[in-house]
Amino acid sequence: MNACTRHCAGWPGRAAGTPPPPADPPPPPDPDPVTEPASLTDPLRLGGFTAGQLGRLCDVVGIDARRRIAHQRVLSELLGPAAARPLAAPPPSPSFVADDHTPVEFSLTFPVGAAPVLRVLADPGCAVRALPDNARTAWAAVGRLAAQWGVGLQGLTRITDLFLPPAPHGPLTLWCALDLRPDGPPGLKLYLNPGARGAERSLETVAEAMARLGHAPAFEPVRRHLEPRFPERAGLMFFALDVGPWAEPRVKVYVVHHHATAADAADAARLVPGASPERVADVCRRIGGDGPFAGLPLISGYSFTGTDTGRPTGHTLYVPVRACVRDDEEARDHAVRLLRQYGVADAPLDRALAALTTRPLTAGRGLISYLSLVQARGRAPRITVYLSSEAYGVLPPRGDTSPTD
């Protein structure tokens, strides 16, 4: 999530073909601790450290041991050669997934009346620094994963020339998130860079992608909202695409609001039927006041499902809580209040924090990086808490807690 204040990048080359899906994906093999590589088990290596965190988070959300091992292996495979790097060495590349350049981020979504949903985000090209090589590595990793799970990448291949050009711009290329489930293969979400052909063309790039994917009418209200604000007051951060066995696959466009107030964020939510601008403003004010949020900006995520809606079907507000608090204890208290406000048990959050680190929450900030409010027509609002691995470092507590980090 932390590329929000920077331009983004893309991939050179052509899309690879995807094999036809098998009738039923094979179950993951039973774990064999004797044959597991050190990159998966050694907590002093990037792969082992993050796999350990992922395993403990799987326990928090009720994912059994068999699938937990399978998910850990997938994360290690996504990290590629970087998984074997010792943590005593510098980060393999300046990955902007996290403030300390750890190429992994976790998140927990808390639906009402159900267990939290665990997701892990990774930068598959993190083992190399040059953008073209980074992108080739990431594309190969996603292709292997798609082939292994029998997942088609048809939607992605229709837009690769827009987001994965020969001469990329920005700090990232292709990121991959896994929506981890107690049964069945993970859901796969890909994050692409709207500024891959240049930040000044990002609105044009996203509009063309939405047209190719059949979402042009629904994107039009967002485009009209952005056009007079672009690029001084608003920019485009990510273009995300769900692939694989999603009940309702989405395309999602992430909009950065530069120097926005709580009222500005509420106004951006009005584009989505069923999203409450009042809720959006309330979350902003509870965490960071009226604003403006200057250093780390507020973000809106617009979701699109189906091709006949005429408007976005969902809205997510992302608040960079680490820029608004002294330390993670304060961030945790904000999260707990939000969860309780929306009728969700907060005990799993404390278990998740303990699964990631043993340090006191008062000793740093950024373990909780973002808090988000998810709204969609016909569904109860949901809170998501974004969690940093902190494999390479911890941001110190701060004294000034104004939202102008």
Side-chain angles (χ1 to χ4, degrees), residues 280-306:
V280 167
D282 177 68
V283 171
C284 292
R285 290 175 179 136
R286 284 174 179 267
I287 298 173
D290 284 313
F293 291 74
L296 292 178
L298 298 171
I299 300 165
S300 289
Y302 296 98
S303 299
F304 302 83
T305 55

Side-chain angles (χ1 to χ4, degrees), residues 161-359:
D161 61 306
L162 299 174
F163 295 100
L164 307 174
H169 294 246
L172 68 95
T173 60
L174 173 63
W175 290 353
C176 176
L178 306 174
D179 199 70
L180 304 180
R181 302 157 181 175
D183 52 11
L188 182 61
K189 181 186 287 287
L190 305 178
Y191 290 81
L192 300 161
N193 172 30
R197 301 185 298 165
E200 72 284 355
R201 299 183 65 186
S202 58
L203 188 53
E204 167 196 337
T205 295
V206 169
E208 174 61 23
M210 295 300 272
R212 293 186 190 181
L213 296 174
H215 296 292
F219 181 67
E220 183 59 19
V222 178
R223 189 196 65 77
R224 290 199 304 267
H225 180 82
L226 286 176
E227 207 164 42
R229 297 168 172 82
F230 181 85
E232 288 80 13
R233 294 177 56 200
L236 289 157
M237 174 182 167
F238 293 131
F239 186 92
L241 190 68
D242 290 350
V243 297
W246 295 84
E248 195 174 35
R250 301 177 301 172
V251 171
K252 196 167 182 180
V253 177
Y254 292 72
V255 174
V256 178
H257 305 290
H258 302 302
H259 302 277
T261 64
D264 293 329
D267 189 48
R270 298 181 198 281
L271 304 176
V272 182
S276 165
E278 293 74 23
R279 287 193 184 119
V280 167
D282 177 68
V283 171
C284 292
R285 290 175 179 136
R286 284 174 179 267
I287 298 173
D290 284 313
F293 291 74
L296 292 178
L298 298 171
I299 300 165
S300 289
Y302 296 98
S303 299
F304 302 83
T305 55
T307 55
D308 57 355
T309 58
R311 306 214 28 118
T313 52
H315 177 271
T316 305
L317 166 74
Y318 301 88
V319 181
V321 65
R322 69 193 186 284
C324 308
V325 297
R326 181 190 182 279
D327 53 40
D328 281 305
E329 183 171 72
E330 189 178 343
R332 177 262 178 199
D333 291 345
H334 278 304
V336 166
R337 283 192 288 269
L338 274 179
L339 292 171
R340 291 176 179 175
Q341 178 182 348
Y342 285 92
V344 180
D346 55 82
L349 174 60
D350 285 328
R351 293 178 59 203
L353 296 174
L356 292 176
T357 186
T358 58
R359 73 163 174 84

Side-chain angles (χ1 to χ4, degrees), residues 139-156:
W139 176 256
V142 169
R144 288 193 298 271
L145 205 57
Q148 177 184 340
W149 291 345
V151 170
L153 297 176
Q154 292 85 353
L156 178 61

Side-chain angles (χ1 to χ4, degrees), residues 72-163:
Q72 289 172 312
R73 288 176 176 170
V74 171
L75 176 58
S76 180
E77 289 167 8
L78 281 176
L79 293 175
R85 286 179 60 91
L87 291 179
S93 65
S95 176
F96 295 101
V97 169
D99 292 323
D100 69 337
H101 302 302
T102 303
V104 174
E105 178 189 64
F106 305 102
S107 64
L108 286 175
T109 297
F110 293 81
V112 176
V117 177
L118 173 61
R119 181 176 292 172
V120 56
L121 172 69
D123 177 358
C126 66
V128 293
R129 288 176 174 265
L131 285 177
D133 295 334
N134 176 290
R136 290 189 188 97
T137 302
W139 176 256
V142 169
R144 288 193 298 271
L145 205 57
Q148 177 184 340
W149 291 345
V151 170
L153 297 176
Q154 292 85 353
L156 178 61
T157 57
R158 290 162 66 185
I159 57 175
T160 50
D161 61 306
L162 299 174
F163 295 100

